[in-house]
Amino acid sequence: MNIIQTIEQEQFKSEITSFKVGDSVRVHTRVVEGDKERIQIFTGIVIARKGTGVNASFTVRRISYGEGVERVFPIHSPRVAKIEVEKAGVARRAKLNYLRDRKGKQAMAVREKAI
Amino acid sequence: MKYGLLGKKIGMTRVYDEKGRIIPVTVVAVGGNTLLQVKTVEKDGYSAIQVGFDTQKESRLSKAEVGVCKKVGSEPKRLVGEFRLAATDKVEGELNLSANHFQAGQIVDVIGQSKGKGFQGAIKRHGYSRQPMSHGSMMHRRTGAVGCRSTPGRVWKNHGMPGHMGDERITVQNLQIVQVRDAEQVLLIRGAIPGANGGYVVVRPAKKSPLPAEVK
């Protein structure tokens, strides 16, 4: 194995919750305030997954006080403590950028996976 | 004693620091540096160490080059470089020419041969502005005016013009060493360094930053 792969292997998390574009997730992020650390939760719909290996990231979109907010998280970042899948969604495309143009109730409407 | 190492650029990746921030790093392999000669003021007129890096077939080197390597019992070296020492420095015993000559957090300069870009226009080569692409403009990416009229009646020296770009010896100063990996004999240096992957580089303690206390 070459050196770059070895270095990247060390950055990987041992376990990653499997989730897909369209899923509603709760992302537990570590926030450092002064010398204290606490967990902050960002809830929303996964609208994109990008990159591979150590570069892999995903975008979560939510509507906060009527304003759309998107956050991009590197999957292997130590600041992402945990990813919880709330609801599995059905997405027919890889990037849900069309949600950005939607208003009101429709903005968060992704079909749920029938169980 | 202040001296650097020769190395080979492996490529770039990213690592997380202790705060969880992403740091872009370049991986440089520095294993196999060998001390070939010590140059002294008395004998050579200046004080320096000569270091060899990476192996080469004996038939591809001159007899003199092979001789220098043979004298210290090393295999023929592909790249030979010198690091100047202060006249007061005395080389005694074994020199540490492995990756852990450097330490994490140290500031270094990296010298390499930049990627060749071929013959380029003044816009790419010197950062000139281009002219309008439309609205009837028939001048898009030209150099533009290069001087005045009868005074001075010539173009000033060093005026930027199209020509060959890249494939130059470039020094990038004040880069930080993020990690020293002793097992693999590899340095992780913050940011980009000149040249293509597989290119040879010189890593030396920064000229314009003080050495960390322990190295002195």
Side-chain angles (χ1 to χ4, degrees):
Chain A
M1 197 158 50
N2 75 36
I3 304 157
I4 288 188
Q5 281 171 342
T6 316
I7 294 167
E8 287 181 354
Q9 211 86 58
E10 286 168 21
Q11 318 286 326
F12 290 159
K13 286 178 182 167
S14 51
E15 227 180 305
I16 292 161
T17 328
S18 80
F19 63 94
K20 282 183 175 157
V21 170
D23 291 355
S24 297
V25 292
R26 291 160 63 83
V27 185
H28 297 240
T29 53
R30 291 201 175 92
V31 181
V32 180
E33 283 167 347
D35 49 357
K36 262 189 259 164
E37 197 188 85
R38 62 184 184 84
I39 296 281
Q40 198 176 54
I41 296 173
F42 189 83
T43 318
I45 296 175
V46 180
I47 63 164
R49 284 187 74 151
K50 282 174 100 173
T52 54
V54 75
N55 304 319
S57 66
F58 62 101
T59 307
V60 180
R61 180 179 173 86
R62 64 170 295 164
I63 306 291
S64 176
Y65 299 104
E67 192 63 52
V69 178
E70 282 177 21
R71 274 189 77 174
V72 182
F73 299 99
I75 287 180
H76 292 285
S77 166
R79 283 191 188 176
V80 176
K82 197 164 79 174
I83 305 160
E84 269 181 274
V85 180
E86 266 188 343
K87 277 183 277 178
V90 180
R92 299 184 79 168
R93 49 210 79 224
K95 306 278 186 278
L96 304 185
N97 294 338
Y98 64 85
L99 291 179
R100 290 173 180 166
D101 304 327
R102 295 215 174 155
K103 285 184 183 142
K105 236 178 158 184
Q106 282 293 304
M108 298 301 277
V110 170
R111 255 201 355 197
E112 278 172 41
K113 202 168 194 173
I115 309 158
Chain B
M1 222 185 315
K2 220 172 168 178
Y3 60 88
L5 296 175
L6 305 178
K8 193 177 195 173
K9 177 171 168 179
I10 304 290
M12 289 192 75
T13 181
R14 43 164 54 164
V15 294
Y16 290 100
D17 69 359
E18 72 286 343
K19 282 182 178 162
R21 290 177 297 202
I22 287 169
I23 304 173
V25 293
T26 309
V27 182
V28 178
V30 293
N33 275 275
T34 316
L35 184 64
L36 297 180
Q37 275 185 61
V38 178
K39 304 226 166 178
T40 55
V41 180
E42 299 83 55
K43 228 173 99 191
D44 310 281
Y46 64 99
S47 181
I49 55 167
Q50 198 179 71
V51 172
F53 180 75
D54 215 359
T55 53
Q56 177 68 288
K57 263 164 100 176
E58 204 177 312
S59 59
R60 295 217 171 112
L61 294 177
S62 73
K63 276 187 180 170
E65 287 165 330
V66 174
V68 168
C69 299
K70 284 249 170 86
K71 205 171 175 183
V72 290
S74 115
E75 49 203 342
K77 291 292 184 185
R78 181 158 177 189
L79 190 71
V80 176
E82 279 187 16
F83 295 99
R84 289 291 280 265
L85 303 176
T88 49
D89 284 338
K90 285 272 179 300
V91 180
E92 280 157 10
E94 287 275 295
L95 272 184
N96 180 11
L97 291 174
S98 64
N100 60 20
H101 167 57
F102 294 107
Q103 52 182 263
Q106 193 180 340
I107 306 295
V108 293
D109 297 340
V110 179
I111 304 165
Q113 193 82 2
S114 65
K115 283 185 185 175
K117 307 285 182 199
F119 194 100
Q120 293 298 333
I123 294 170
K124 187 182 174 86
R125 194 169 179 227
H126 302 291
Y128 289 1
S129 310
R130 66 160 166 75
Q131 298 86 32
M133 297 308 276
S134 58
H135 297 293
S137 166
M138 291 168 73
M139 184 174 172
H140 306 306
R141 293 180 64 91
R142 288 197 221 164
T143 308
V146 294
C148 314
R149 267 168 66 165
S150 57
T151 318
R154 62 190 170 85
V155 177
W156 294 113
K157 279 184 178 176
N158 303 323
H159 194 275
M161 294 215 186
H164 188 273
M165 183 182 172
D167 196 19
E168 281 175 287
R169 185 184 157 94
I170 302 278
T171 308
V172 182
Q173 295 187 327
N174 298 329
L175 297 173
Q176 196 183 30
I177 292 193
V178 176
Q179 240 182 67
V180 177
R181 295 170 73 93
D182 210 20
E184 294 113 340
Q185 287 294 305
V186 150
L187 303 173
L188 304 194
I189 298 173
R190 186 180 189 127
I193 65 174
N197 292 347
Y200 291 112
V201 294
V202 178
V203 185
R204 65 161 193 227
K207 279 256 159 88
K208 293 180 185 166
S209 290
L211 279 176
E214 302 97 278
V215 180
K216 279 172 189 159

